[in-house]
Every structure is written in structure tokens, then in C-alpha cells.
Amino acid sequence: PDAVTWTRRPAASISSLKSVTRGGGIWIAVGSGGAILRSTNGIQWSNAPSPTDYDLNSVAFGNGLFVAVGDRLFPDGTLITSPDGLHWTLRHQFIGKNLRSVTFANQRFLATANDGVVLESTDGIQWKYGEATPNMDYRGNLRAATYAAGTWVVAGNSGMVATWSAIAGGQTHLLATYENQHGIVHFK
């Protein structure tokens, strides 16, 4: 509870776990080989049936729905949804890109993908395709997204950070690094 002392919990899977979220009183963790773990208390975990064998890279919860995204190049990345973390449905997006992250904020889901692609959805079922960097020739993998103070921020390979807000329009910033950015978070 203090974020300093941690207790290792036995997992129901030997897969590498990549992301965890909580929503609707349920914890969900996802990972390699399509692994989905479910818990009601964060201590005891069980496997949930998965509709995919491809790696799941990220999971988010919003508007009563879990959304998990992952790899599978052609014809689309993997995107699955569940209202309860137990019964999952495979959704086809046909974008031809691996999906790297998904987050929920400001009443919408935002998923990031390879080659500068972003997907946006208000319900987690129907998605709109876009590019985080339409005014520049950036085709790196976008690996993370967050939202705060009216602005979406995405981060990716080669030090790329892009921001977008309805007020200011989109802006792209290349950091003074060529390192891959795998995460981004906002603290109050």
C-alpha cells in the first residue's frame, strides 16, 4: 500500500505480462502469447480465455469496457474487448500495424501503433484511423499515450513526442534523444 514494499504474488501464467489495469472492480493483466489474467482482489489471479495467441501489449478500461491491443501485422493488429474481463471478442481494424498501447481518458480510447498510427474510439468498438504526425515524415512506432489538462500526448521511437488538443491543434516535438520512449504518464 505504500508503493515501497512489494509482495510477489503467484500468477496463473508463465507468460511475460506487459500491462495491467483495473475497472468495474476487476483487475486485468495481459501479455505474451495472448495471455489474459483476471483478479477481483489483485492478489489471486486466474487465466481468462483469450481469442488470440498473439502478444497483447496493453489494456485499458473505460465506459464499462476493457480494451486490449497487441501484435499481428497483416491484415491488422490485435484488438479485443470485454465487458467483464472474462468473455473477450476479437475486433478487426485492418490497419496492417501492430498496436502498442491503449488508454482511456476524456471519454475516449486512444490506441497507438507502428508507423505513427493512432486509433480513436468513444465506445471501444468502432475506431477512427489517424496519424499522430501527419505533417512530418515520422514512421516510428508509437508506444504510449496519456491525457491531461486538455491535451493528448503520445511517445514513441527515436525520441518522438506528439501532442494534440482541440484548442491548439496537433504539434510534434522531437526530444533531444534518439532513445525509444516506451511510456508516458501525467502526475498532478
Side-chain angles (χ1 to χ4, degrees), residues 45 99 146 157:
W45 294 83
L99 297 168
T146 193
N157 288 5

Side-chain angles (χ1 to χ4, degrees), residues 41-117:
N41 59 15
I43 296 170
Q44 297 166 317
W45 294 83
S46 60
N47 286 308
S50 179
T52 184
D53 291 330
Y54 293 97
D55 286 2
L56 295 172
N57 297 320
S58 183
V59 62
F61 180 85
N63 287 342
L65 192 70
F66 289 98
V67 174
V69 300
D71 296 344
R72 184 175 178 225
L73 277 177
F74 186 80
D76 57 355
T78 299
L79 193 149
I80 61 176
T81 63
S82 173
D84 59 9
L86 188 59
H87 303 92
W88 292 85
T89 301
L90 185 63
R91 308 288 178 185
H92 296 285
Q93 298 308 310
F94 304 106
I95 65 167
K97 314 285 182 205
N98 285 334
L99 297 168
R100 298 298 181 180
S101 75
V102 63
T103 191
F104 181 84
N106 196 33
Q107 297 303 308
R108 68 194 44 186
F109 291 95
L110 189 75
T112 64
N114 287 1
D115 300 330
V117 170

Side-chain angles (χ1 to χ4, degrees), residues 9 16 48 66 82 89 102 108 115 141 147 159 164 173-174 187:
R9 303 290 180 191
S16 295
F66 289 98
S82 173
T89 301
V102 63
R108 68 194 44 186
D115 300 330
N141 298 340
Y147 178 87
W164 185 89
H173 306 281
L174 291 178
F187 291 100

Side-chain angles (χ1 to χ4, degrees), residues 7-13 17 19-23 25-30 35-48 59 66 85:
T7 303
R8 184 178 179 153
R9 303 290 180 191
S13 173
L17 299 176
S19 179
V20 64
T21 196
R22 185 173 190 276
I26 305 293
W27 290 92
I28 296 294
V30 298
I36 301 172
L37 300 182
R38 184 180 188 273
S39 175
T40 57
N41 59 15
I43 296 170
Q44 297 166 317
W45 294 83
S46 60
N47 286 308
V59 62
F66 289 98

Side-chain angles (χ1 to χ4, degrees), residues 101-151:
S101 75
V102 63
T103 191
F104 181 84
N106 196 33
Q107 297 303 308
R108 68 194 44 186
F109 291 95
L110 189 75
T112 64
N114 287 1
D115 300 330
V117 170
V118 293
L119 298 175
E120 178 186 7
S121 175
T122 56
D123 64 5
I125 308 296
Q126 301 296 320
W127 292 80
K128 292 190 294 186
Y129 176 95
E131 293 183 11
T133 57
N135 298 324
M136 63 183 292
D137 191 25
Y138 177 81
R139 294 291 172 240
N141 298 340
L142 298 177
R143 298 188 176 270
T146 193
Y147 178 87
T151 301

